[in-house]
Amino acid sequence: MAKIGFFDSGVGGLSVLKEALKLLPNDEFYYYGDSANCPYGIKGEAFIQNRSFEITEHLVNDYGVEVVVVACNTATSYALSYLRSVFPNVSFLGMVPAVKPAAATTKTNVIGVLATKGTLNASLYKQIRDTYGCGSTIIEHIGEGFVELVESFDISGQHAEQVVEDSIRDMVLAGADKLVLGCSHYPFLKDTIEMVANRIRPDSTPNIEVIDPAPAIARHLRSVVKETGFRTSNSEFPNVKLESSGDDSVLNNLYKQCVTNNLII
């Protein structure tokens, strides 16, 4: 069976793990959330590369993972190429904001991108934006407080709605009909974002779609696993190990309540 590692600045990468479990139910998953150093979006490139190296080394040496999903947009932007150079025998997948599918389906030609400061400033994101979004108006905004909401498991209710509205109001009122989630934490707020966006949207704007990149990453992961020829197991449940550099209570609670209630860790 495939041994697949995931890491993120905290619990956000569970949004990708959730989709992977649907497509690869018989493999082994090792998830590391670096919550003690969360968020990465305000950290420097050298720090992010160093932590990404340390975490990947742990996943490879201690668990023997063959595939690593860098389930963090900021870490993908600043460390993915570096990791591929120092771990040549490991297959890596990263996260990038889904500007391409948003640009292909927008009716208003206005797209909102929600991401961290680190992701929005990275050359990788700018290249994707300029390549696929050149025919649309792109409105970018940092999801202020979004990561903190997810890390504290405060993903719905009045407080979460107000934090979300503060970040999306301008792009929604400008006519955006696609909101791209450029941080793996943000999909846990997807229902709240979608509800608030459609509540405040102008009458002239079609229903707003919030685009979560996690399903596409999971499909790519399945293709990589198949291409490498790993043998699948006959176990009834996937084997999932969760680790955190900080308090692991939110990680475990989010996994059990928002990822799956049926799988055994």
Side-chain angles (χ1 to χ4, degrees), residues 15-254:
S15 64
V16 189
L17 177 62
K18 176 182 178 180
E19 299 300 324
L21 290 172
K22 297 175 184 177
L23 301 182
L24 296 166
N26 300 315
D27 291 296
E28 292 185 6
F29 296 87
Y30 301 87
Y31 183 96
Y32 191 96
D34 196 16
S35 291
N37 294 296
C38 186
Y40 278 3
I42 59 174
K43 302 291 196 303
E45 181 174 357
F47 177 88
I48 294 169
Q49 285 191 357
N50 183 60
R51 284 302 293 151
S52 297
F53 172 82
E54 292 173 345
I55 294 167
T56 301
E57 187 176 47
H58 167 56
L59 292 171
V60 171
N61 291 346
D62 294 342
Y63 300 122
V65 303
E66 301 110 328
V67 182
V68 172
V69 179
V70 183
C72 172
N73 289 74
T74 306
T76 296
S77 297
Y78 293 121
L80 185 61
S81 295
Y82 169 69
L83 292 174
R84 285 173 170 158
S85 70
V86 295
F87 296 97
N89 296 322
V90 177
S91 297
F92 287 95
L93 286 76
M95 305 281 293
V96 294
V99 173
K100 183 178 180 180
T105 56
T106 179
K107 295 180 175 64
T108 63
N109 286 321
V110 182
I111 298 166
V113 177
L114 289 159
T116 65
K117 178 181 179 181
T119 295
L120 293 176
N121 287 339
S123 58
L124 177 60
Y125 163 69
K126 292 177 181 178
Q127 179 182 356
I128 292 168
R129 178 198 63 194
D130 295 344
T131 300
Y132 298 110
C134 58
S136 301
T137 298
I138 308 290
I139 303 173
E140 301 163 350
H141 202 283
I142 297 169
E144 295 284 358
F146 285 22
V147 170
E148 290 79 4
L149 286 174
V150 176
E151 288 288 323
S152 61
F153 200 28
D154 183 13
I155 58 177
S156 63
Q158 186 174 358
H159 177 243
E161 289 175 22
Q162 188 59 57
V163 171
V164 165
E165 183 171 339
D166 289 344
S167 280
I168 70 172
R169 172 173 287 277
D170 288 348
M171 56 180 64
V172 170
L173 295 182
D177 66 339
K178 306 291 178 181
L179 298 183
V180 175
L181 303 183
C183 172
S184 59
H185 281 75
Y186 295 1
F188 287 110
L189 291 164
K190 181 180 178 181
D191 290 345
T192 298
I193 295 170
E194 203 159 61
M195 183 268 291
V196 171
N198 283 294
R199 184 176 68 198
I200 65 175
R201 69 178 172 84
D203 291 340
S204 58
T205 302
N207 281 339
I208 297 170
E209 179 188 9
V210 178
I211 300 180
D212 173 10
I217 300 300
R219 291 192 296 271
H220 186 194
L221 175 62
R222 180 176 59 182
S223 297
V224 169
V225 169
K226 286 184 176 181
E227 288 170 4
T228 54
F230 293 119
R231 179 177 59 85
T232 58
S233 74
N234 294 317
S235 60
E236 185 176 358
F237 301 112
N239 178 12
V240 180
K241 178 175 178 58
L242 305 178
E243 282 188 86
S244 175
S245 61
D247 181 359
D248 64 0
S249 59
V250 174
L251 179 64
N252 285 290
N253 287 336
L254 194 63

